[in-house]
Amino acid sequence: EPRELATVAAAPTTHILDVRNANELANGTLAGALHIPLAELEGQLQRLDPSHRYLVHCAGGYRSMMAASLLQRAGYGQVANVLGGMSRIKADAPALVHQPVLA
């Protein structure tokens, strides 16, 4: 659930993984999230610790579902898809979303 994200992600071995494309980050980010676009995830797995827990999100939930499946197939046992993605996070827990400062 998006409202529980901050509490769950506070654990030292839990990470938020944002699989959106770079151009989507202007719509808001989550503090401390690791950004690896879905298209690059398989080639970037070495950046992730298989013993850690990952909360995966995208814009609406479809790509994060695919990313979570990829991670599980690669041996990452503690993976959760954030249902509804950034759209739902912004609706249910807007305080968690950081908007970029435009110059």
Side-chain angles (χ1 to χ4, degrees), residues 3-47:
R3 281 177 232 148
E4 300 167 356
L5 236 130
T7 304
V8 175
T13 58
T14 299
H15 310 282
I16 297 171
L17 178 59
D18 183 343
V19 296
R20 295 177 297 160
N21 295 319
N23 64 327
E24 294 174 281
L25 299 181
N27 292 326
T29 60
L30 300 177
L34 175 61
H35 175 246
I36 304 175
L38 176 60
E40 300 172 17
L41 183 58
E42 194 166 15
Q44 299 279 331
L45 289 177
Q46 74 280 1
R47 293 177 58 190

Side-chain angles (χ1 to χ4, degrees), residues 33-100:
L34 175 61
H35 175 246
I36 304 175
L38 176 60
E40 300 172 17
L41 183 58
E42 194 166 15
Q44 299 279 331
L45 289 177
Q46 74 280 1
R47 293 177 58 190
L48 307 177
D49 185 334
S51 69
H52 288 195
R53 180 178 186 194
Y54 293 92
L55 308 175
V56 188
H57 84 87
C58 62
Y62 181 72
R63 287 173 290 176
S64 57
M65 178 183 65
M66 292 172 46
S69 177
L70 185 154
L71 289 170
Q72 289 168 336
R73 286 192 316 272
Y76 295 76
Q78 299 179 72
V79 179
N81 177 26
V82 179
L83 298 174
M86 184 57 82
S87 297
R88 185 155 175 216
I89 296 167
K90 286 176 102 170
D92 290 359
L96 298 177
V97 180
H98 298 273
Q99 296 294 49

